[in-house]
Amino acid sequence: MQTELIIELAEHNGGVVTASTAHAAGVDTSLLRYLCRTGRLECVERGVYAIPESWLDEPYIAQTRFGRGVFSHNTALWLHGLSDRTPDAYDMTFPRGYNTTSARRAGIAARTAGARTYGLGIECVATPFGHEVLAYCVERSICDTLSARSRTDVRTPVEALRTYVSSSERDIPKLSEYARALGVDGRLTSYLEVLL
């Protein structure tokens, strides 16, 4: 009976079930390990299980595993539809002081931000599979890619800005405010002078 509940939870969640979800549903998490041994589930990450051969929503799994991380830089632009390049490694920003060792081992391009900027522009965004994850807003993401420390291909912010300024949803004052807060207002101004 609990086995069917776990499989049903996974099926309703894109083929993925977490140990915390199973526990909240009243299922003993040792059953998850048993289902892995018998081939009904696969352990994808620590505490994250999937139905074998299901398409995995990698950003959702990364968010589940690293809940304090916020998708940023190129990954946030991709999630917002301002970049057509699927990231090789997912960019996530964590609060300063967070130990990013396990995130880096998992292939995450982990960055940290201080208390003043970490919470700036966080919103929920849908992954291509429809799961909600935390990502920085479009304006914050553009500013992040303009930073000299961003390790971003120079074409990425140019393409994102070009799409952004032609959008009816653009908010140039908000973009400028974020640029000032993140110390990239000079770079933003030079890009905008060319594009506007």
Side-chain angles (χ1 to χ4, degrees):
M1 187 131 25
Q2 287 194 334
T3 299
E4 288 77 24
L5 176 61
I6 289 177
I7 300 300
E8 186 177 311
L9 285 170
E11 287 173 348
H12 282 82
N13 200 29
V16 177
V17 64
T18 64
S20 59
T21 303
H23 180 74
V27 176
D28 185 353
T29 54
S30 64
L31 182 58
L32 294 169
R33 291 187 294 279
Y34 170 77
L35 292 174
C36 286
R37 284 194 305 272
T38 59
R40 301 270 318 261
L41 289 177
E42 293 176 352
C43 183
V44 179
E45 297 278 345
R46 182 175 175 225
V48 181
Y49 302 86
I51 297 172
E53 299 179 22
S54 61
W55 291 93
L56 298 180
D57 188 347
E58 292 180 7
Y60 173 71
I61 291 170
Q63 179 77 79
T64 301
R65 182 156 182 217
F66 306 108
R68 300 279 312 271
V70 179
F71 287 106
S72 60
H73 296 75
N74 298 338
T75 305
L77 291 176
W78 173 71
L79 288 169
H80 284 293
L82 290 178
S83 174
D84 58 0
R85 295 184 199 130
T86 304
D88 294 331
Y90 294 113
D91 298 294
M92 292 184 94
T93 298
F94 297 87
R96 187 159 292 134
Y98 181 90
N99 185 348
T100 60
T101 304
S102 59
R104 291 179 195 279
R105 282 190 193 131
I108 302 292
R111 297 166 167 84
T112 60
R116 185 179 63 82
T117 58
Y118 170 72
L120 185 66
I122 295 176
E123 61 185 29
C124 287
V125 177
T127 68
F129 285 87
H131 291 106
E132 296 258 316
V133 294
L134 296 177
Y136 286 120
C137 66
V138 171
E139 293 81 8
R140 163 73 189 258
S141 302
I142 289 171
C143 291
D144 281 341
T145 62
L146 290 173
S147 170
R149 299 181 309 272
S150 75
R151 302 179 302 245
T152 299
D153 179 2
V154 72
R155 293 176 301 201
T156 301
V158 171
E159 291 169 5
L161 267 170
R162 186 174 293 129
T163 304
Y164 179 77
V165 298
S166 65
S167 167
S168 62
E169 296 178 15
R170 70 179 179 267
D171 187 347
I172 301 299
K174 182 179 178 183
L175 180 63
S176 298
E177 175 190 332
Y178 281 23
R180 273 190 303 280
L182 297 167
V184 295
D185 44 334
R187 284 180 179 223
L188 176 65
T189 301
S190 62
Y191 279 102
L192 288 178
E193 285 172 353
V194 173
L195 293 171
L196 291 176

